[in-house]
Amino acid sequence: RALRFVTQISILRNVVVALLSIVPSIAAIFTLLMLIFYIFAVMFTALFKDLYAMGYTSEDYFGRLDYSLFTLFQFLCFDEWSGI
């Protein structure tokens, strides 16, 4: 029913076609951002993996790649980043 409604109204059909035409561009941008995010996570893991072992931090934020990805995601979203 909803698809029939979209196809009968030309303005709504144009909006749907425009939204679907930008999906490849958005996917390419998302892939590029994830690649940059991964590169920074690898770099932070290599640089800061010993901070917890040396006693500089109370938690292991950069000891493994998944920890680094999660910590960088916290920085990106400003979620509890002040405690890190």
Side-chain angles (χ1 to χ4, degrees):
R1 267 185 169 221
L3 292 176
R4 220 179 312 152
F5 182 69
V6 169
T7 58
Q8 290 183 2
I9 299 176
S10 65
I11 295 173
L12 192 57
R13 182 177 47 231
N14 290 341
V15 169
V16 170
V17 167
L19 287 175
L20 290 177
S21 68
I22 64 167
V23 169
S25 300
I26 297 295
I29 292 169
F30 179 76
T31 304
L32 182 63
L33 286 174
M34 287 300 105
L35 178 66
I36 292 170
F37 201 70
Y38 177 75
I39 289 169
F40 272 92
V42 169
M43 185 176 67
F44 279 23
T45 302
L47 291 174
F48 303 124
K49 67 181 172 184
D50 297 329
L51 287 180
Y52 179 70
M54 296 170 70
Y56 290 118
T57 60
S58 60
E59 293 184 34
D60 192 10
Y61 296 113
F62 299 106
R64 296 185 345 203
L65 184 62
D66 56 339
Y67 293 164
S68 295
L69 284 168
F70 183 69
T71 305
L72 289 175
F73 185 74
Q74 282 184 310
F75 287 155
L76 180 72
C77 297
F78 296 118
D79 179 38
E80 306 252 344
W81 65 274
S82 60
I84 296 175

